[in-house]
Structures are given as structure tokens and as C-alpha cells.
Amino acid sequence: MNNYIKDLSDFLFDFTDFLEDKKYISPINKKQISIDYSSNKKKGDLATNFYLIIKRKVINENFNIEKEINDRIKLIEFIDHFSISKNGFINFFLKDEFIFKSLKEIYNKNFLNNINYGEDKKINVEFISANPTGPLHIAHIRGAVFGDVLSSLYVKTGFKVTREYYVNDAGSQIDKLSHSLLKRYLQLFDKKIELEEDEYPGEYIIDIAKKIKNEDGDKWLNFNREETIQYFKNFALKNILLSIKSDLELLNIKFDKFTHETEIEKSKIIDELFTILDNKSLLYNGILEKPKGDDSDWEPREQLLFRSSSLLDNEDRALKKSNGEWTYFANDAAYHLDKCKRNFDGLVNVWGSDHIGYIPRMNSLIRAIKDDENYLKILTCQIVRLIQNKQKIKMSKRSGNFVTLANVYSKVGKDPIRYYMISTKNETAIDFDLDVVVEKNKDNKVFYCQYAYARASSVINKTNELGIKIKNNSNLLAKNNLSVEEIKLIKKLISYPYLLYQSSFFNEPHRLINYLEEISSDFHSIWNKGKDNISFRFIDEKNIENTISKLFWLESFRVVLKDIFSIIDIDAPESM
RNA sequence: GCGCCCGUAGCUCAGUGGAUAGAGCAACCGCCUUCUAAGCGGUAGGUCAAAUGUUCGAAUCAUUUCGGGCGCGCCA
């Protein structure tokens, strides 16, 4: 990967190896060595604590560490000079020619070719995987957007990504769904029959029932019960899955693969899983301990268990229910074996925070079948609280009163949803204010950043009208045509490839948002300086050289903005 | 009872071993003859929940306490 921070880091690591090999210093932990962008008030572009750490480890009294540092840093091609602060930080200054060379790579979009952190490795990202028992609602939106953007980020940094949705179309919840649907159908014929408390009360089920009535009339009133239930189950699943897919289209989320739990059941891969576990003595029949909390209807029963406590979990987990059916975990485990067998180099699962307790058993499972502790990464998203009129919107799953994705979409549209769902670190809860995100002012960050793009574009349009060409004129790019503020922004622009790498490495798309807002703000600031000071205006027809220098970074700014917008998947409006 | 996440400005959040802790909103004071004022500049705002420890250095790591959230059955 072509970026100077990585190069500098390699340089410092090699340097450390050299010092250790020659016994000039006692061994150190390289992880302590950091490279940062210098804070604004300090002089310099990059800073490292290298000297701070090394100087305390010198064991050879004849060794002159300062001289060695001096001699070596001189050889780094992109460093102009450096200084060592009183407290021991080394501050580096980049060469102008290097800064402009890097800017040209941004301008020409070459940096995209240089990012191959992923080395074309194949990874599978499983996200949402909501039960097909109802439409997607607010709790699913965050995981949906996070998984989608994370996938795009992986692709951008050189991975081959499969986006996958696991459809839990087996199990007792689906049975409850079918019974709920049947009851709603019967109610349409004035049958006196009520839903049980744990069945699904949502309006959407009545709609599906009406659909059946429209198609088949009263055909199912006196039909064989088993066949009826089977028909209603399939009908419900088909319709709900379709509605989930159409909801996802609203956010432009597309999956490469839907895997159904029922397919997993049919495939018998679970037998294969059990063989693997059995060979490692991880299967046994036993009785689980009495659970904590509400245990009113608990009684001890012997069942098939997974010895996960010998791996990463704190207790063993059931694979088979007492009625002989597989547990949810058993099928999910088989599904994960299936994923493992599909030649991915890594698996990523995005789960809601309500599944955090499930993580240790899944990690145990993967550990049992794959000898690679980094093979599966489980990332979790905390909840989203909806705010309207400064009040939290209360939701109740039991009453079926939840805010659907389609509902939120109709209020605010795609871009604010996508933007805000990843603007906060995934492990932090979000307050999503429906009133703020549709405002067209700087309270609304999406708008603010898109407006920066539109403003920059308006300048480019103006230059087109005036016939000013940037192409083939890049040799005119020169530092003395640019202000301190512009150089500062240019330095941020050339750090973009490293930002992509870090965001991908840490699985943190929200870093993109922080950066995006920062450079947008810098841009708006420079723009406004042009009102007081004519030298800050982008276009000066009397000074083409000056104009070209400005347009050059302005275009690069647009490249970066557009690139981030494409990862988040929001519009890049040329005018607003 | 146990596990995980969170606690940073009045509010919403960045920063997770480095230099004087940062943005935006809200508050107050300013800036449109101009390539988009849907914007910008300035002022003010902090015992980083608390305590102890580790370290040359802690918002960041460890331990404890207090607050908030999410979980913890053969559910999914």
C-alpha cells in the first residue's frame, strides 16, 4: 500500500530491529511506537514518540542515538526535515514536491489502485438476518446500513466481499406466525378467535390474510388443517421476505446471497458438524444448570449439549430441544460450518446488541471447527432511539407498535438514514432525531457535506464556462500560489488513503464521517475567506497559474468527497 | 447474581497510552455589491462519573465504586 505513514512506520520498525540486533538498546515492544498527524498548534506534519521510547532503552554508552537518528531520517525520501521537541517527540516535515505528487494521485484517482490491504481475500459479511416474521423496523436499520457500508469499505480496501442474509424460516416463531395469519384469515370471516399473547398482532398480517382471501376466498375454512397451516406458513414467509427485500431497496442495500435455515436443515450439514464436534469430544448428553433470573417454569432435563465451556464460553449450550428438534443455535452452528466450507478467508457477523450474550458460544463453535482465532469477527450495533418533537418514540413489539424502516424512510429519505446510522461508533447508542435530519442547514451534517460538494462543483462549472482547463496544466501547481489554509487541507486530502486503510482495519466506518465533516468544514471556511480577501477566490482570470493551483486541490477535494459518498452510498449533488 | 457496552462542554458525539482534551448544536457578538449566507469568523463553556493503582506520561490500561443501556432458559 502506497502511503507515507506506512512507509514511515516500516522505517521505524526496521530502525528498531537494527538497534536491537546491534545491542545498542534493550528490546522494546514495537506496539508502543506510534505515528500521528501533528496537532494543529505544533510545527510539523507527522510526529512520533520513537525517540521518547528508544532513548530510555540505550544500553551501549558509546552509542550516539541522536546522530544515528539524524543520519537515517535524512535518507527518507519524502521527509524534508525534522525536529526533536523538548519532551522527545520527533516532528517530521513533508517535502512540498511529495505533497503535490500525492495530491496528483488523488486528483488522478490513482490512490484507489494502491490500496490493496485486503489482498483480494474473500470475506463473507452476514448482516441484518432479521426473522421473516414482520417488516424491517428501526432496530434493524442500523445493522443494515453498518453492514452494507462496512462491506463497501472492505471492497474499497481490496477485499472480495459476499453480502449475506440468513433467513430464519424454521422454528417455533415461524409456526406462531402461521397460526397468527390463519387466525387473522378466520377473523375476516367473522370467526370468533383471538390471538394468543405471544403471537404476532401486527397489521401487516391482516393485509396478508386479506390477500389470501382475495385469491382463494373461503377455500381454507374447512380444509385439512395440516395442509392449511403449511400453505399459510409458506404464504406468510414469501410475502414478508418480499417486503423485507423491498424495504432494503429503499436504502439501496443488495445482498449477494440469502441462505435459508430450512435449506441448512435439509442439507444435513448438521450431521457433519456433529462428527467434527464429537471427534473433539465436544458433544455429550447432560443436564444444564438452573438458569438465573426468571426460572419459574424450569425443570432439569437431559439433552444434547455442546461443550462450549471448554472453549470460550462460560457454560455449555443446548443443541437439541427435549422435543427432539434442533435448537436455533444448532442450525446456526451448521450454517456457520457451511460458511466455513465455502472457502472464505474470513467471516464477519454484524449483530444487534441484544445478541451480545450469544457471541461466546459462536466463537467457541468456530474455534472448534477452524484453528484460527481471527477467522470470525462478530461486530455489534447498539440500539437506535428515535426522537420526534424532542420526545423518545416508544415502541412495543408485543402490541406490534414499532416504527418500520419504510415509515422512517418516508419521513426522511435514504441519505440521512444511511449517513446517521454510521456516523456514531457502532458500539455507542444513537439518538436519531427525525426533525433534525430533514433540516437543510448545518445542524444537518449530511446536508452540510453535500453542500460542500455542490459548492465546489459550482466553481468547476464556472471554470468550464470560462474555458479554463486544469488537465495538462498540472505542472502549474505550486506552493506559492496557495495559502496556509489550503496547504493544510491538501495535507488532509493526501491522508485519505490511510484513513481508508484504518477504517477498514478497525471495522469503523464512522471514521469516514469524522474526516468528511472535517474537510467539509475546512472547505467552507476557505470559501468564505474569499469574501474578504480576493486572493482566496478560486478563479482569477488574470492569474491562470494561481487559478490552476487552486482548482487542482479543489478537484481533488471533490474526488475524495465523492469517493466517501460512494462508500456511504449517498448522493453527490452537483448543485443544490 | 453473572456477562457485555456506555458515562467526555447545557445537548449530540469524536478522541482509546503521548504534547495545551476536540467538533457541531444551543447562548452571546459580528460578516452577504462577490464562484451558492443552505455558509463563515469570534466569545463563552471541562475536577474526561468517582477513587486507587500501573507508567517518563492516563480521558485512554488495571482494580473497585456509582450511574445508564443491552443480554443471560430447550425463545429467535
Side-chain angles (χ1 to χ4, degrees), chain A residues 91 104 153 159 162 164 245 294 344 381 393 437 479 520 531 565 576:
Chain A
N91 291 303
K104 281 174 192 170
L153 190 53
F159 292 94
T162 300
E164 186 153 332
K245 285 179 184 175
D294 180 18
F344 291 110
C381 289
I393 298 176
V437 301
K479 189 181 182 181
S520 295
K531 293 185 180 304
F565 289 165
M576 294 174 76

Side-chain angles (χ1 to χ4, degrees), chain A residues 49-292:
Chain A
N49 58 357
F50 178 75
Y51 178 62
L52 204 58
I53 290 167
I54 296 293
K55 70 176 177 184
R56 288 183 293 116
K57 296 285 187 174
V58 174
I59 47 179
N60 184 331
E61 288 179 5
N62 298 321
F63 175 62
N64 185 338
I65 178 71
E66 285 83 3
K67 183 176 183 306
E68 189 69 30
I69 287 175
N70 233 309
D71 291 349
R72 283 182 173 249
I73 291 179
K74 270 184 199 162
L75 302 175
I76 306 177
E77 56 169 355
F78 53 87
I79 299 297
D80 188 66
H81 60 285
F82 74 97
S83 65
I84 298 182
S85 71
K86 267 183 203 167
N87 50 12
F89 283 93
I90 304 177
N91 291 303
F92 298 98
F93 293 76
L94 296 172
K95 277 184 184 159
D96 291 342
E97 60 189 83
F98 173 77
I99 293 169
F100 291 122
K101 186 180 138 233
S102 303
L103 186 65
K104 281 174 192 170
E105 283 182 8
I106 302 279
Y107 175 87
N108 293 318
K109 302 175 188 168
N110 286 344
F111 70 96
L112 297 177
N113 304 330
N114 295 328
I115 302 166
N116 193 20
Y117 154 60
E119 299 171 325
D120 291 333
K121 284 182 182 153
K122 286 172 61 189
I123 49 177
N124 178 292
V125 182
E126 183 209 326
F127 58 108
I128 313 181
S129 296
N131 293 335
T133 52
L136 292 180
H137 51 87
I138 184 69
H140 302 120
I141 296 181
R142 190 173 188 185
V145 176
F146 179 77
D148 192 45
V149 174
L150 188 64
S151 298
S152 298
L153 190 53
Y154 289 150
V155 170
K156 182 65 79 176
T157 50
F159 292 94
K160 303 278 185 211
V161 175
T162 300
R163 289 170 164 88
E164 186 153 332
Y165 189 121
Y166 180 52
V167 184
N168 308 134
D169 57 353
S172 58
Q173 293 303 313
I174 301 301
D175 292 334
K176 280 176 189 159
L177 175 73
S178 349
H179 286 102
S180 308
L181 178 60
L182 179 56
K183 285 181 180 174
R184 289 303 195 188
Y185 174 78
L186 295 174
Q187 283 172 354
L188 293 177
F189 294 93
D190 298 324
K191 302 282 177 196
K192 284 190 181 159
I193 184 162
E194 296 303 324
L195 294 183
E196 304 285 329
E197 194 164 314
D198 60 349
E199 292 181 326
Y200 292 88
E203 288 279 325
Y204 59 93
I205 295 189
I206 300 176
D207 293 337
I208 299 173
K210 283 178 182 164
K211 228 170 155 179
I212 297 182
K213 187 186 173 189
N214 284 340
E215 288 180 14
D216 297 343
D218 62 0
K219 171 179 170 185
W220 301 101
L221 285 184
N222 301 304
F223 216 77
N224 168 302
R225 185 168 167 83
E226 207 164 292
E227 271 182 59
T228 304
I229 278 293
Q230 192 57 42
Y231 181 82
F232 275 61
K233 182 192 276 189
N234 291 337
F235 199 92
L237 281 172
K238 193 178 133 201
N239 275 273
I240 291 174
L241 206 53
L242 275 176
S243 81
I244 287 175
K245 285 179 184 175
S246 76
D247 283 349
L248 290 173
E249 269 172 35
L250 296 175
L251 297 182
N252 201 22
I253 294 173
K254 298 183 186 81
F255 281 89
D256 301 302
K257 188 168 167 56
F258 285 82
T259 300
H260 293 251
E261 186 177 359
T262 46
E263 290 167 7
I264 294 292
E265 281 185 334
K266 276 181 208 150
S267 74
K268 303 285 179 202
I269 192 166
I270 201 160
D271 297 335
E272 194 177 329
L273 175 68
F274 283 4
T275 307
I276 294 172
L277 297 182
D278 203 22
N279 287 341
K280 298 195 173 182
S281 305
L282 293 169
L283 283 184
Y284 71 103
N285 282 299
I287 299 170
L288 284 174
E289 278 180 41
K290 189 173 171 175
K292 308 286 186 203

Side-chain angles (χ1 to χ4, degrees), chain A residues 357-415:
Chain A
Y358 194 77
I359 294 175
R361 81 187 70 173
M362 188 53 79
N363 278 329
S364 301
L365 190 272
I366 297 295
R367 183 64 58 87
I369 55 186
K370 198 101 185 172
D371 194 24
D372 176 359
E373 58 183 285
N374 295 315
Y375 191 70
L376 173 69
K377 253 185 301 216
I378 301 175
L379 308 170
T380 58
C381 289
Q382 285 291 329
I383 55 164
V384 177
R385 292 180 290 253
L386 281 181
I387 312 285
Q388 191 162 33
N389 303 324
K390 312 218 172 192
Q391 300 277 316
K392 284 179 186 168
I393 298 176
K394 287 187 178 164
M395 280 169 283
S396 159
K397 202 171 182 180
R398 187 168 301 168
S399 66
N401 167 31
F402 44 72
V403 180
T404 62
L405 185 156
N407 194 328
V408 177
Y409 175 85
S410 69
K411 287 193 173 113
V412 306
K414 169 172 88 63
D415 288 3

